[in-house]
């Protein structure tokens, strides 16, 4: 685990991330807050590309909790059976849809506490929805962010909660909203787990990682 980088270095790193991609976007396809919740819940232990393939047709016919309930659990399974843990995920999609209809008038709530109370929705999922849909500076720490945060010293921590706090505490305020997207994309395409692409890394000169591939 690298030591926490100093403030000036953090500013320079996120300035470069911003210059390379001023408005980074998540890669899960969705058409509204509800389909975003479903897509993120389905993405656990699955790739975004795999989820997008599974939901492409699903969201055409079920883009509201009411329509998803009408489709039913077996109907959901038919669309998502290429995704890992699809049976349990289909069950959760139906359960959370029922709660949204019965308790929230079919609308997705905009509070973290309400979101994490939904079946299949944890803190990471809630933070993704809060960030992507409502623009909150919420930090959804996945395996990519955990690796990048610790490897580079951007947000070191022994667990995901510690890394989340490190981002909130140390990333300059003007970069908080997009921080988790920049870090996810950096981890997914450049600072990869086995063979990081240090030769093309925009922050290589600022990164203390000792096992660089240059």
């Amino acid at each position: 685990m690298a030591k926490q980088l100093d403030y000036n270095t953090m500013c320079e790193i996120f300035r470069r991330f911003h210059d390379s991609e001023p408005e980074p976007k998540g890669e899960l396809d969705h058409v509204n807050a509800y389909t975003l919740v479903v897509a993120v819940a389905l993405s656990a232990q699955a790739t975004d590309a795999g989820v997008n393939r599974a939901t492409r047709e699903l969201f055409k016919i079920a883009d509201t909790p009411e329509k998803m309930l009408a489709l039913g659990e077996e109907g959901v399974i038919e669309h998502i059976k290429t995704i890992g843990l699809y049976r349990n995920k289909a069950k959760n999609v139906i359960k959370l849809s029922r709660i949204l209809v019965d308790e929230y008038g079919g609308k997705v709530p905009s509070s973290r506490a309400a979101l994490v109370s939904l079946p299949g929705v944890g803190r990471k999922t809630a933070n993704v929805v809060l960030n992507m849909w409502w623009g909150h500076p919420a930090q959804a720490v996945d395996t990519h962010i955990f690796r990048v945060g610790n490897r580079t010293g951007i947000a070191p921590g022994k667990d995901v909660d510690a890394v989340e706090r490190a981002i909130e505490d140390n990333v300059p305020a003007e970069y908080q909203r997009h921080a988790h997207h920049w870090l996810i994309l950096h981890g997914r395409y450049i600072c990869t787990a086995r063979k990081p692409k240090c030769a093309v890394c925009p922050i290589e000169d600022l990164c203390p990682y000792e096992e660089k591939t240059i």
Side-chain angles (χ1 to χ4, degrees), residues 3-212:
K3 292 182 179 180
Q4 176 66 55
L5 296 176
D6 63 81
Y7 180 76
N8 289 335
T9 303
M10 294 284 284
C11 287
E12 177 60 18
I13 284 174
F14 282 92
R15 183 193 66 77
R16 294 182 190 182
F17 284 157
H18 176 270
D19 287 351
S20 65
E21 186 66 58
E23 292 288 331
K25 304 294 183 184
E27 297 184 323
L28 283 172
D29 294 339
H30 60 283
V31 297
N32 53 31
Y34 171 71
T35 54
L36 177 59
V37 170
V38 172
V40 180
L42 293 177
S43 71
Q45 300 182 47
T47 65
D48 288 359
V51 173
N52 289 340
R53 284 192 296 270
T55 59
R56 189 169 296 121
E57 296 302 318
L58 174 63
F59 290 161
K60 288 180 181 179
I61 60 174
D63 59 356
T64 68
E66 293 86 354
K67 292 177 182 177
M68 197 70 75
L69 289 172
L71 185 61
E73 188 174 322
E74 291 303 317
V76 174
I77 286 174
E78 283 303 306
H79 284 89
I80 70 168
K81 58 187 178 182
T82 56
I83 302 175
L85 307 175
Y86 66 90
R87 289 192 181 277
N88 190 56
K89 289 178 179 179
K91 186 175 298 184
N92 283 335
V93 167
I94 293 300
K95 287 181 178 179
L96 73 83
S97 299
R98 172 54 63 194
I99 292 172
L100 290 177
V101 169
D102 291 347
E103 299 183 19
Y104 297 99
K107 305 294 183 183
V108 175
S110 59
S111 80
R112 182 185 286 114
L115 286 167
V116 298
S117 71
L118 299 173
V121 176
R123 185 179 179 88
K124 185 184 79 170
T125 298
N127 282 350
V128 171
V129 176
L130 290 171
N131 181 274
M132 290 181 63
W133 195 256
W134 283 286
H136 295 184
Q139 309 302 332
V141 178
D142 68 352
T143 56
H144 297 299
I145 292 181
F146 186 81
R147 178 177 66 255
V148 171
N150 279 289
R151 181 182 281 175
T152 64
I154 291 173
K158 293 183 178 180
D159 54 42
V160 293
D161 291 339
V163 170
E164 181 180 332
R165 288 194 300 271
I167 295 173
E168 293 173 344
D169 291 343
N170 298 293
V171 173
E174 62 267 34
Y175 300 118
Q176 285 278 335
R177 179 180 176 187
H178 293 310
H180 98 271
H181 277 131
W182 283 317
L183 293 172
I184 286 173
L185 295 173
H186 189 66
R188 185 172 289 166
Y189 298 111
I190 295 179
C191 197
T192 52
R194 295 184 180 179
K195 297 181 70 173
K197 300 175 177 65
C198 300
V200 297
C201 174
I203 63 169
E204 184 276 330
D205 58 315
L206 302 173
C207 173
Y209 185 54
E210 295 181 353
E211 299 176 35
K212 292 179 180 176

